[in-house]
Amino acid sequence: MDAKTMVLDKYSARIYKNRKEHIIVMDGNGEIPTIAANARSAPGIITERGCCYAGCKGVVVGPIKDVLTITHGPIGCGFYSWGTRRNQAKASKEGEPVFVQYMFSTDMQEPDIVFGGEKKLRQAIKEAMEIFNPKAIMICSTCPVGLIGDDVQAVATETEKLYGITCIAFSCEGYKGVSQSAGHHIANNGLMKQVIGTKDTPIENPFTVNILGEYNIGGDGFEQIRILNKCGIDVRTSFTGDAAIDDLKAAHMANLNLVMCHRSINYIAEMMEVKYGIPWLKVNFIGLESTCNTLRDIGKFFGDQKLIDRIEAVIAEEMAEVAAEREHYRTRLTGKTAALYVGGSRAHHYQLLLNDFGVKTVLAGYEFAHRDDYEGRDVIPTIKEDADGKNIEHMTVEADPEKYHAYLTPEQLEAVKAEIPLSEYKGMMHGMEEGSLVVDDLNHYETEAFTRILKPDIFFTGVKDKYAIQKDGTMSRQLHSYDYSGPYAGFKGAMKFGHDVVMGLYTPCWGMVSPPWKNRATIEAHIGGGN
Amino acid sequence: MLDLTPKEHSERTALRINSCKTCQPVGALYCALGVHNCMPYSHGSQGCVAYHRTFLTRHFKEPAIASTSSFTEGACVFGGGANLKQGTKNVFDIYDPDIIAIHTTCLSETIGDDLNSFIMDLDIPEDKLVVHSNTPSYVGSHVDGYFNMMCGFIKYLSKNTGVKNGKTAILPSWSNPGDLREFKRLAALMNVPITMFPDQSGVMDSPMTDHYEIYPKGGTTIPEITGLGDCDSVIGLGEMTVTEPCEQLKKKCRVNYEVLPYPIGVENTDKFIMALSKMNGGNIPYAIEEERGQLIDLMLDSHIWFTGKTCAIYGDPDYVLGLTSLVLEMGMIPKYVLTGTPGAAFVNKTKALFDKYDVGEKCVSKESGDLFDLHQWVKQSPVDLLIGSSYGKQIARAEDIPFVRAGFPVLDRYGHPLSPITCYKGAIRLVEQISNALLDRIDRDVPDEQFDVIM
């Protein structure tokens, strides 16, 4: 029996029917199979997924550093998203506020559920203004807010008038959609409608980009910006790691959008292209080869020979700097196998980093990616929307008559498109080896079962799985929080990653798991023929 | 760090900043993990349980297992009955627990799902059980969720058969496995047969064996919870948490109870030992007397570093009361004492403690407070030491205050849940930690000529 059949074997007919569509064995013939994704999780199955609020507040909105974000709801949601995603931020300049160390909540109580929470939300905003006087406030709704009918949008509009600040409400109740993904979409719509394009701060350097879907976990974004700046490329803003609201407002002035996390930010990438004429390029700063390819693609887009030469010089210098260390890790890791189960983009990006060290991926999966993240954007027209996704607003935009600008002429754009993945993403499955498994919404049981069958040397996943996998004898590292390490992006990040993985595999403790009396007992029992 | 926090205190009625509590369901989940072969189950949308499992995993560095009804928007409109039915069936099919313990979230509470009738409609496999508790997140805190789930188990399972089982029930408030093991160790030393419920030791501190078990060896067994109704008496540990479950057990099974302060510090531990000694005819073994004597010896040896030193203590009510009691016994002044959990009794109890040590005028106590309040107090008038959960590390860094981690959650250190802070052994550990924190600070700050190697 193959691994897929063995794992599915335990399920009832109903669950079997559902789950078999979410588990794919790659056949390696170059054709990309169809996977079921972005569908509701079966109740009780122990999904690792979170909710829409986590996708909106926790992922996209929360990292914006100088915005005061209020969670409108009972205390839990705000508390659990306080300091738990490692989106680093530092003040843009002295005196600028950084709110990410704080949590703000309306801490709804029973009377707020009964009589409505709008009054408390207004009072909370008043208090926030009095104490902090922020330039922008964002409101993130939680489950009960939608149910009791609090009109957070009206409160936001009122707030803008009353205090003359930017105020945006996100209706990201936890039950919307089927995962964090709905929250990304809601956050994207809000930023597109009310933030991007509202402030015209011209760029000084034609080679100015935005990095979309980069949340600066463990300083990843800082390392990317270091490399880009070294090449002579300016970064207007990241969406949204270490982002300042004024930079997000002026993001439409940049000439190219680099998309790191396709899942969480592709909506904004598409809309900015239509509205402002800014093309987007799928990039990957995770892995040495990937980082080099990404930099070269950016060079090709701008087509400036000086820039291209500078990029090659930076690549040569950075690669030379890490060469010896890379070899050190490669000799210790070549031939090892890995499983990856991460949110919506890292399970792809990190396969390429693992390739740098000779590690083969035997299983990869996403919590909440859609089919296009697995199969490539070509399948988007064939994706059928189900009942759970219908209530997420689909925004359409048109070209802005004043602010539309294109760095390349239509002819130049077509020529560049032939060479680099502009407005295109081929998906995770592309390039995955024959026999490797792709699993969507991997649950607790499947994690344990696949680990025991496939016996990967390393399982990269999140904190909820980590200790169960480790207790079962497999090294596990977190690819959400980086186990409090990082950055893992770029040249220096790849070395940090190599260091951490080698450290985890070779820590002496692995050799001490079995107590000596157990070993001895086994041998004696064998010799004696008993037990 | 926390540069935006102003010194001037302004009254807040709506904006909660840097909370010192979280919501009910995580308490219910933790309680259910203290039952052997039990699957905690969250009836709500799946984000809650993802957060709750993560919170517990980060504190213990252990798996924290739980499943969910995974509400979608449709279920919010039509009710979550179908989700619960399918969810519990899937749990029994795939994860095969002996019991499922359901708690609710603000979602299912707001839409008014009737768990009692839903559960009556479930197809529960033979010899398997389902219990539930209502845990609305908009009432109280995680502490309420913890004792509500205890009440749920007692309500469904505990029985008075008319035949006493000769045991004393110990109902501890939310504790680390290290503390739970300490309660059991002392009861064993006293030769008092006990049932402790819940008991997360052996679950949330399970060993590395090379083989993961979804239901580890630990946890109170179902027959033990049933047998709570036949116990001779009940000792509740934690006045602010376990009074309600004790009362519930008394009402249902007519078992008398005594609720004690959570046993942190000398006097609180003395009360626990005296309560146990009522069960064994007043026989207190020398081993326990020795531990107590070691603690007093340590406190006397080191008192010069504590006398008159001020501290701020925050966290869950029973922890804060216990820690306040201990620092007062050490001659320190608990200048600011704060819990996020609502309840006026907390303030009354702290005031009584302040008065007992005649420091009432120097100390402030607050319920339903948050760490923003605490930080502002500290800015107005500083303290020598901070004691509480990991989130206080921001204040400790911002104001450069020595810091001892105790309570929930401690997310940024390893090993702490394995050892007690309760009873004499735990107090010895706390006194050592507190003196280390204060002495490390002196060593860091004194000029070279005053840098002592001896003391």
Side-chain angles (χ1 to χ4, degrees):
Chain A
M1 255 197 299
D2 63 41
K4 177 178 174 178
T5 316
M6 282 164 81
V7 169
L8 287 172
D9 201 41
K10 180 164 180 162
Y11 286 134
S12 64
R14 183 176 181 165
I15 298 295
Y16 176 90
K17 197 166 163 256
N18 174 301
R19 287 302 301 157
K20 75 177 168 49
E21 310 292 333
H22 293 262
I23 303 174
I24 300 293
V25 186
M26 295 302 293
D27 62 11
N29 67 3
E31 273 190 31
I32 300 295
T34 301
I35 189 168
N38 190 34
R40 63 171 73 169
S41 303
I45 203 157
I46 314 197
T47 174
E48 304 298 338
R49 283 173 165 178
C51 66
C52 181
Y53 165 86
C56 180
K57 193 273 180 180
V59 174
V60 182
V61 174
I64 307 173
K65 60 188 173 184
D66 52 354
V67 166
L68 191 153
T69 298
I70 299 176
T71 297
H72 185 38
I75 197 64
C77 308
F79 182 82
Y80 301 118
S81 55
W82 176 22
T84 45
R85 254 174 77 82
R86 300 177 60 239
N87 40 257
Q88 296 184 359
K90 54 185 179 198
S92 305
K93 51 178 187 277
E94 210 178 306
E96 284 291 310
V98 175
F99 285 105
V100 295
Q101 293 151 11
Y102 293 84
M103 64 136 287
F104 303 96
S105 169
T106 51
D107 190 5
M108 287 173 94
Q109 300 295 305
E110 198 152 23
D112 305 316
I113 302 293
V114 177
F115 303 110
E118 279 176 39
K119 201 175 142 199
K120 193 172 194 188
L121 177 60
R122 278 193 204 97
Q123 177 64 22
I125 290 168
K126 181 168 179 270
E127 290 168 11
M129 290 307 300
E130 284 166 2
I131 300 169
F132 300 100
N133 195 27
K135 53 184 126 183
I137 287 180
M138 295 195 185
I139 302 159
C140 290
S141 300
T142 63
C143 288
V145 171
L147 302 172
I148 64 173
D150 274 0
D151 190 348
V152 290
Q153 308 295 342
V155 175
T157 310
E158 241 175 66
T159 302
E160 294 210 323
K161 276 198 199 127
L162 196 58
Y163 302 106
I165 60 161
T166 302
C167 184
I168 304 170
F170 296 91
S171 295
C172 53
E173 287 85 351
Y175 53 76
K176 288 194 171 159
V178 297
S179 68
Q180 290 93 314
S181 180
H184 302 150
H185 200 160
I186 288 166
N188 275 228
N189 289 350
L191 293 177
M192 192 66 203
K193 261 187 226 166
Q194 288 178 266
V195 177
I196 299 164
T198 57
K199 189 172 178 172
D200 296 335
T201 311
I203 53 170
E204 285 159 13
N205 175 356
F207 314 133
T208 295
V209 300
N210 299 309
I211 312 178
L212 269 52
E214 171 48 58
Y215 303 100
N216 201 27
I217 304 297
D220 270 355
F222 291 146
E223 170 67 359
Q224 291 166 37
I225 291 169
R226 179 189 74 81
I227 297 166
L228 289 167
N229 288 349
K230 195 171 170 185
C231 295
I233 298 160
D234 282 353
V235 178
R236 164 50 56 85
T237 186
S238 289
F239 283 77
T240 49
D242 193 44
I245 184 79
D246 283 347
D247 293 331
L248 292 171
K249 285 179 175 180
H252 64 292
M253 311 294 281
N255 280 329
L256 177 65
N257 281 331
L258 310 179
V259 172
M260 268 297 282
C261 172
H262 176 261
R263 181 68 266 134
S264 66
I265 213 79
N266 77 89
Y267 315 98
I268 281 178
E270 280 180 43
M271 289 189 279
M272 282 181 82
E273 184 166 16
V274 174
K275 191 170 180 183
Y276 302 111
I278 309 172
W280 63 271
L281 174 69
K282 179 68 187 82
V283 297
N284 179 17
F285 284 100
I286 304 298
L288 295 170
E289 294 304 319
S290 306
T291 300
C292 295
N293 291 341
T294 284
L295 292 173
R296 289 184 175 123
D297 285 351
I298 298 168
K300 281 178 193 155
F301 174 83
F302 287 112
D304 179 274
Q305 196 54 48
K306 267 192 194 155
L307 178 70
I308 291 168
D309 293 344
R310 179 80 204 130
I311 286 171
E312 288 304 330
V314 168
I315 288 174
E317 189 186 321
E318 296 275 335
M319 289 294 273
E321 258 178 49
V322 300
E325 199 180 346
R326 177 198 189 176
E327 203 43 42
H328 174 83
Y329 300 135
R330 197 219 279 272
T331 52
R332 279 156 186 78
L333 294 176
T334 294
K336 304 278 184 201
T337 58
L340 300 98
Y341 180 58
V342 212
S345 74
R346 289 193 179 98
H348 182 196
H349 292 163
Y350 278 82
Q351 290 187 42
L352 303 171
L353 173 51
L354 289 165
N355 284 349
D356 287 337
F357 296 118
V359 179
K360 196 179 141 189
T361 299
V362 292
L363 179 148
Y366 288 131
E367 279 175 47
F368 49 74
H370 300 196
R371 279 183 58 204
D372 42 319
D373 304 295
Y374 287 105
E375 301 172 45
R377 285 180 64 89
D378 291 348
V379 303
I380 289 177
T382 70
I383 296 177
K384 287 191 210 92
E385 192 165 42
D386 66 12
D388 296 321
K390 277 195 177 130
N391 295 331
I392 312 299
E393 182 197 12
H394 286 262
M395 250 179 86
T396 48
V397 292
E398 287 168 12
D400 188 305
E402 284 158 29
K403 297 181 179 179
Y404 190 96
H405 61 98
Y407 180 77
L408 299 178
T409 65
E411 296 76 34
Q412 285 173 321
L413 192 66
E414 282 313 306
V416 169
K417 267 189 182 173
E419 282 191 75
I420 63 173
L422 266 191
S423 314
E424 177 188 311
Y425 177 44
K426 284 206 165 96
M428 180 182 84
M429 284 170 160
H430 183 81
M432 279 186 70
E433 278 187 36
E434 182 180 348
S436 56
L437 281 143
V438 178
V439 188
D440 176 67
D441 190 15
L442 184 76
N443 58 55
H444 185 85
Y445 153 70
E446 288 171 9
T447 302
E448 188 186 317
F450 277 123
T451 308
R452 287 180 181 170
I453 296 165
L454 301 172
K455 299 185 171 57
D457 295 295
I458 321 148
F459 203 129
F460 294 100
T461 177
V463 73
K464 297 193 292 298
D465 292 338
K466 177 190 168 91
Y467 297 101
I469 293 166
Q470 185 180 291
K471 279 221 194 304
D472 214 47
T474 301
M475 203 269 275
S476 179
R477 282 202 62 91
Q478 299 179 55
L479 273 193
H480 298 271
S481 73
Y482 302 164
D483 275 306
Y484 325 102
S485 177
Y488 283 167
F491 302 101
K492 292 190 198 304
M495 293 307 106
K496 185 83 191 158
F497 176 83
H499 167 268
D500 289 351
V501 174
V502 168
M503 173 177 76
L505 281 174
Y506 291 91
T507 187
C509 284
W510 288 116
M512 306 171 195
V513 173
S514 196
W517 53 90
K518 287 232 162 157
N519 291 335
R520 195 169 58 216
T522 311
I523 292 163
E524 279 170 5
H526 180 70
I527 293 167
N531 279 340
Chain B
M1 185 54 58
L2 300 180
D3 294 338
L4 305 172
T5 305
K7 193 172 169 183
E8 305 76 43
H9 196 271
S10 53
E11 212 42 56
R12 282 175 288 129
T13 59
L15 186 65
R16 174 68 65 208
I17 312 172
N18 296 356
S19 177
C20 187
K21 66 169 178 186
T22 182
C23 63
Q24 283 211 35
V26 72
L29 202 169
Y30 186 56
C31 173
L33 286 171
V35 174
H36 186 62
N37 280 351
C38 175
M39 174 67 79
Y41 186 104
S42 168
H43 186 54
S45 57
Q46 67 205 12
C48 309
V49 86
Y51 277 142
H52 299 145
R53 290 177 60 203
T54 300
F55 172 93
L56 294 171
T57 285
R58 288 196 168 126
H59 176 89
F60 295 102
K61 319 299 180 203
E62 291 289 324
I65 200 72
S67 56
T68 166
S69 276
S70 289
F71 270 59
T72 56
E73 195 154 15
C76 300
V77 179
F78 302 111
N83 291 54
L84 188 77
K85 195 165 188 162
Q86 209 199 329
T88 49
K89 178 183 168 10
N90 288 339
V91 169
F92 281 125
D93 281 355
I94 302 166
Y95 296 107
D96 194 31
D98 290 340
I99 183 168
I100 296 176
I102 304 167
H103 61 262
T104 56
T105 69
C106 50
L107 172 53
S108 50
E109 287 296 324
T110 303
I111 66 173
D113 268 0
D114 181 357
L115 271 288
N116 283 308
S117 65
F118 286 174
I119 290 170
M120 289 206 302
D121 285 343
L122 298 179
D123 302 318
I124 302 168
E126 219 173 308
D127 303 328
K128 303 285 181 180
L129 294 165
V130 173
V131 301
H132 99 277
S133 171
N134 291 89
T135 52
S137 312
Y138 44 77
V139 176
S141 77
H142 56 294
V143 174
D144 299 61
Y146 175 87
F147 68 67
N148 278 336
M149 195 72 239
M150 286 174 79
C151 291
F153 278 105
I154 290 167
K155 199 174 89 188
Y156 274 86
L157 301 180
S158 301
K159 284 197 184 81
N160 178 348
T161 63
V163 184
K164 289 284 177 197
N165 60 17
K167 285 179 165 185
T168 299
I170 294 183
L171 306 189
S173 51
W174 183 318
S175 306
N176 278 323
D179 294 304
L180 297 165
R181 288 179 189 273
E182 185 64 7
F183 304 150
K184 288 194 284 192
R185 185 184 69 91
L186 287 171
L189 271 174
M190 299 278 288
N191 260 323
V192 177
I194 60 159
T195 293
M196 191 162 71
F197 163 72
D199 180 5
Q200 293 85 355
S201 68
V203 180
M204 297 311 285
D205 61 353
S206 71
M208 171 67 187
T209 58
D210 229 13
H211 192 80
Y212 167 70
E213 296 285 353
I214 188 167
Y215 309 110
K217 288 194 199 311
T220 315
T221 64
I222 293 164
E224 283 174 323
I225 301 173
T226 308
L228 288 173
D230 289 332
C231 282
D232 293 344
S233 67
V234 178
I235 299 174
L237 295 178
E239 303 158 285
M240 307 299 295
T241 312
V242 292
T243 306
E244 214 164 304
C246 287
E247 187 62 34
Q248 171 108 21
L249 192 59
K250 186 181 180 185
K251 263 190 210 147
K252 191 178 176 200
C253 302
R254 298 184 304 282
V255 190
N256 286 324
Y257 69 85
E258 182 180 11
V259 175
L260 306 174
Y262 195 62
I264 297 177
V266 181
E267 192 185 338
N268 291 349
T269 305
D270 289 348
K271 284 181 180 164
F272 177 40
I273 298 298
M274 294 304 283
L276 284 174
S277 77
K278 281 185 213 160
M279 309 298 157
N280 78 353
N283 185 13
I284 295 170
Y286 175 70
I288 291 178
E289 216 171 291
E290 186 177 63
E291 281 171 20
R292 188 182 186 281
Q294 286 173 326
L295 169 62
I296 305 301
D297 192 60
L298 172 65
M299 288 165 71
L300 266 173
D301 292 347
S302 55
H303 80 276
I304 45 174
W305 305 103
F306 303 133
T307 305
K309 288 280 186 293
T310 57
C311 67
I313 304 170
Y314 59 92
D316 300 343
D318 279 317
Y319 276 91
V320 175
L321 285 170
L323 291 163
T324 303
S325 186
L326 173 69
V327 300
L328 284 165
E329 287 163 350
M330 291 164 71
M332 295 173 72
I333 299 164
K335 197 163 154 181
Y336 309 123
V337 172
L338 178 140
T339 184
T341 298
F346 172 80
V347 175
N348 298 335
K349 284 186 189 298
T350 48
K351 288 210 166 125
L353 273 172
F354 298 157
D355 289 344
K356 189 171 162 189
Y357 286 85
D358 202 21
V359 294
E361 280 171 19
K362 298 175 191 161
C363 302
V364 187
S365 135
K366 184 171 184 173
E367 49 95 19
S368 301
D370 56 38
L371 296 184
F372 192 74
D373 287 322
L374 187 72
H375 192 183
Q376 290 192 313
W377 291 345
V378 168
K379 272 179 178 286
Q380 284 153 21
S381 173
V383 289
D384 300 310
L385 181 73
L386 197 61
I387 308 176
S389 77
S390 284
Y391 282 98
K393 81 188 281 184
Q394 294 179 324
I395 300 172
R397 179 176 163 112
E399 306 303 327
D400 197 22
I401 310 169
F403 179 36
V404 169
R405 288 165 180 79
F408 279 85
V410 174
L411 308 167
D412 62 331
R413 289 295 183 271
Y414 298 89
H416 56 88
L418 299 172
S419 306
I421 60 167
T422 53
C423 306
Y424 304 126
K425 282 270 190 224
I428 287 171
R429 184 164 166 250
L430 276 173
V431 173
E432 185 183 357
Q433 284 184 6
I434 292 170
S435 64
N436 284 348
L438 293 173
L439 293 170
D440 280 348
R441 180 53 52 99
I442 291 171
D443 284 345
R444 190 194 80 178
D445 291 347
V446 291
D448 283 359
E449 66 276 16
Q450 292 171 23
F451 190 73
D452 284 322
V453 177
I454 51 164
M455 60 189 46

